[in-house]
Amino acid sequence: MSFLHQMWQAPFKGFESVWKSIGDFLYNNVFSFINNRSWKILWPAFGETLYMTVVSTLIAYILGLALGIVLVTTRKNGVKPMPTFNAILGAIVNFLRSIPFLILLAMLLPVTKGVVGKMMGTVAIVFPLIISAFPYVARMVEGSFNEVDPGIIEASKAMGSTTMQIIRKVLLPEALPSLINGFSICMTTILAYTAMASAAAGGGLGSVAITYGLNQQRYDIMYAASIMLVVLVQIITVTGTVLTRKKDHRLR
């Protein structure tokens, strides 16, 4: 196994070990009333979903944030106008956004194998999730920055602020509530993609709902997996809303 493959899979191995320990503790002390067989299926699947969602969201948002900053600063009336470059970059982002996730997943199988070392599985599916999400994040970030009052930017430029100073001290702070809200939306979108990823043996709750619930007609597992996904979405949405309101100075 190459160094790249080991580096990509190392976080999952550590997460898997910790997650199993948490699961054993909860089952023995809290959820012992749940059928042991069902619990042993659902809990690891929940951990896989959480791993795919969190890791993919973090990396995709970092890439998308950087790309969104480039898009908004290089536009025609931006801080550092580069219209031709902006048009080309925007076209690439739009092209990637227009490809449905399942098709992109199939297209990236050879690339995924080169990066991760295998085409299928929970760890492997993180790569196409990132590729599918970061262009979407870039446009979302660009929209968040477009909400910033142009007068504040112009005032900063008049005071001699550099491009990096405007980004760090004006754009990011002013757009922070919208960026946080965008992060939660991105996370719920990727969570939905993980359910689709079961088509490529991606693992997680979506795979369990189909493999055990639908194919084996174990509807208790299917409903339990669906409820766990709904709860996870609600937690992400509520947390994002609370943090957005907390950081929005317009609501104070």
Side-chain angles (χ1 to χ4, degrees), residues 96-110:
L96 292 173
R97 283 182 63 202
S98 65
I99 305 175
F101 174 67
L102 287 178
I103 296 176
L104 183 65
L105 178 64
M107 290 171 58
L108 288 174
L109 285 177

Side-chain angles (χ1 to χ4, degrees), residues 17-38:
S17 176
V18 173
W19 190 254
K20 186 178 184 303
S21 300
I22 296 173
D24 291 340
F25 172 80
L26 289 176
Y27 176 73
N28 293 326
N29 297 279
V30 183
F31 299 120
S32 56
F33 60 90
I34 299 178
N35 179 275
N36 187 36
R37 186 181 175 191
S38 298

Side-chain angles (χ1 to χ4, degrees), residues 48-56 122 125-126 129 190 194 202-204:
E48 290 170 352
T49 296
L50 203 61
Y51 172 82
M52 288 187 289
T53 302
V54 172
V55 173
S56 301
T122 301
I125 215 68
V126 170
L129 283 172
I190 290 179
T194 64

Side-chain angles (χ1 to χ4, degrees), residues 53 57 60-61 133 136-137 139-141 144 147 177-193 232-233 235-241 244:
T53 302
T57 303
Y61 206 81
Y136 171 78
V137 172
R139 285 302 186 190
M140 188 177 293
V141 168
S144 297
E147 295 175 8
S178 183
L179 292 173
I180 293 173
N181 186 54
F183 184 88
S184 66
I185 293 172
C186 173
M187 201 168 191
T188 54
T189 302
I190 290 179
L191 180 61
Y193 284 171
L232 198 53
V233 169
I235 290 173
I236 295 169
T237 303
V238 171
T239 302
T241 301
T244 299

Side-chain angles (χ1 to χ4, degrees), residues 10-169:
F12 179 73
K13 291 179 180 178
F15 177 85
E16 192 175 30
S17 176
V18 173
W19 190 254
K20 186 178 184 303
S21 300
I22 296 173
D24 291 340
F25 172 80
L26 289 176
Y27 176 73
N28 293 326
N29 297 279
V30 183
F31 299 120
S32 56
F33 60 90
I34 299 178
N35 179 275
N36 187 36
R37 186 181 175 191
S38 298
W39 175 259
K40 286 185 176 180
I41 294 171
L42 288 167
W43 183 251
F46 185 80
E48 290 170 352
T49 296
L50 203 61
Y51 172 82
M52 288 187 289
T53 302
V54 172
V55 173
S56 301
T57 303
L58 288 174
I59 299 176
Y61 206 81
I62 291 171
L63 295 175
L65 179 62
L67 193 57
I69 290 172
V70 173
L71 284 170
V72 80
T73 54
T74 59
R75 64 186 179 182
K76 185 177 180 180
N77 298 319
V79 180
K80 198 175 182 64
M82 298 174 64
T84 304
F85 173 78
N86 185 276
I88 295 172
L89 185 60
I92 295 172
V93 170
N94 289 338
F95 172 75
L96 292 173
R97 283 182 63 202
S98 65
I99 305 175
F101 174 67
L102 287 178
I103 296 176
L104 183 65
L105 178 64
M107 290 171 58
L108 288 174
L109 285 177
V111 183
T112 302
K113 186 175 182 181
V115 174
V116 186
K118 52 185 177 180
M119 293 184 181
M120 300 181 179
T122 301
V123 179
I125 215 68
V126 170
F127 180 73
L129 283 172
I130 293 169
I131 300 301
S132 67
F134 86 86
Y136 171 78
V137 172
R139 285 302 186 190
M140 188 177 293
V141 168
E142 184 184 19
S144 297
F145 286 145
N146 286 336
E147 295 175 8
V148 177
D149 185 357
I152 301 176
I153 299 174
E154 289 300 323
S156 300
K157 290 169 69 175
M159 288 187 291
S161 299
T162 64
T163 301
M164 286 304 300
Q165 287 174 333
I166 293 174
I167 291 170
R168 288 190 298 107
K169 297 182 179 181

